[in-house]
Amino acid sequence: GTINKHQVLFFIDRDLSELLDEELPQFDNLYITDDYSIENSICNNRTLENVLNEVFSFHNAQSADWDKIFSLYNETYEKFLMIIIPIMAYILFLRKNEKALNAKLNLKNFSIKDLFEINDDFTLKDKKESNEEKYLLLEKNCNINSGCRKNYKEDYWLEEFSKLEKKDRHIRGKFISYFFACFCQKIY
């Protein structure tokens, strides 16, 4: 049979395109995520409740229990953002300056599991002592020459990121979904 192109819907992740002044394609049957990626939209309290109910059998949780869980999730998530924002600011710098630095950033090899862990009391442990260690990890995993950092003005880029109205809108979705999964496993 024939497929009507108006019935087909595709979506693409926005990534950092707004901050990089990249033009996004415009088609009637194309949805561009509101945030960095689809994960940014689905890792929330509603999905948390669904996952804990359906996967971890939290069916007997009462309203007060959910309030505590959501509060704990949101508090821990805010701490996670403080750990990940320096990495995202550095990623933004690298992406904005790819040509000048001759550094093509490929984040597929970068895993944030070496950046943080959620302790049993739901405090967040930053596994890296400094932002410098975080940048080194990113460079190592993504084959970026550490010489690129000599042009990086950390205060400027962190300031640029902190000016954003909704900071987590520009956090890589895979980072957020990893945090979400860690939280779910820890609460279980």
Side-chain angles (χ1 to χ4, degrees), residues 13-24 36-37 86-108 138-139 142 144 148-149 151-152 157 161 170-173 175:
D13 290 337
R14 184 173 298 275
D15 295 336
L16 294 172
S17 57
E18 286 178 322
L19 304 177
L20 298 170
D21 299 321
E22 295 174 345
E23 194 152 327
L24 293 168
Y36 188 103
S37 72
I87 284 288
M88 288 306 304
Y90 189 47
I91 287 169
L92 179 60
F93 161 76
L94 291 169
R95 291 282 317 275
K96 273 199 179 232
N97 295 286
E98 275 181 342
K99 287 184 179 147
L101 296 170
N102 193 24
K104 181 74 174 145
L105 184 61
N106 181 353
L107 293 172
K108 287 184 170 99
L138 179 74
E139 291 163 355
C142 298
I144 298 293
C148 292
R149 209 165 344 113
N151 298 316
Y152 182 61
W157 290 97
F161 219 89
H170 302 284
I171 302 294
R172 188 165 196 250
F175 298 168

Side-chain angles (χ1 to χ4, degrees), residues 41-53 180 184:
S41 299
I42 61 172
C43 293
N44 56 36
N45 288 346
R46 183 174 169 205
T47 306
L48 179 64
E49 183 175 4
N50 288 335
V51 168
L52 293 178
N53 273 327
F180 184 87
C184 288

Side-chain angles (χ1 to χ4, degrees), residues 74-184:
N74 294 325
E75 287 171 25
T76 311
Y77 181 71
E78 287 300 317
K79 292 172 187 166
F80 161 74
L81 290 178
M82 294 304 103
I83 290 172
I84 207 67
I85 283 174
I87 284 288
M88 288 306 304
Y90 189 47
I91 287 169
L92 179 60
F93 161 76
L94 291 169
R95 291 282 317 275
K96 273 199 179 232
N97 295 286
E98 275 181 342
K99 287 184 179 147
L101 296 170
N102 193 24
K104 181 74 174 145
L105 184 61
N106 181 353
L107 293 172
K108 287 184 170 99
N109 296 327
F110 183 64
S111 170
I112 65 166
K113 68 179 173 40
D114 295 323
L115 289 180
F116 77 94
E117 67 182 84
I118 301 175
N119 296 319
D120 290 339
D121 63 357
F122 289 91
T123 56
L124 220 58
K125 179 183 179 201
D126 191 338
K127 291 183 175 181
K128 300 299 173 196
E129 301 270 325
S130 66
N131 289 345
E132 183 82 11
E133 287 184 42
K134 293 174 188 177
Y135 305 148
L136 284 169
L137 181 67
L138 179 74
E139 291 163 355
K140 179 182 173 198
N141 288 303
C142 298
N143 294 321
I144 298 293
N145 183 330
S146 60
C148 292
R149 209 165 344 113
K150 71 178 186 236
N151 298 316
Y152 182 61
K153 307 289 185 239
E154 182 179 53
D155 292 340
Y156 169 81
W157 290 97
L158 288 174
E159 173 78 17
E160 286 297 297
F161 219 89
S162 69
K163 287 180 192 175
L164 299 173
E165 186 176 318
K166 189 178 172 222
K167 291 169 198 51
D168 63 344
R169 180 171 187 238
H170 302 284
I171 302 294
R172 188 165 196 250
K174 286 178 180 42
F175 298 168
I176 290 174
S177 61
Y178 180 78
F179 166 80
F180 184 87
C182 289
F183 184 87
C184 288

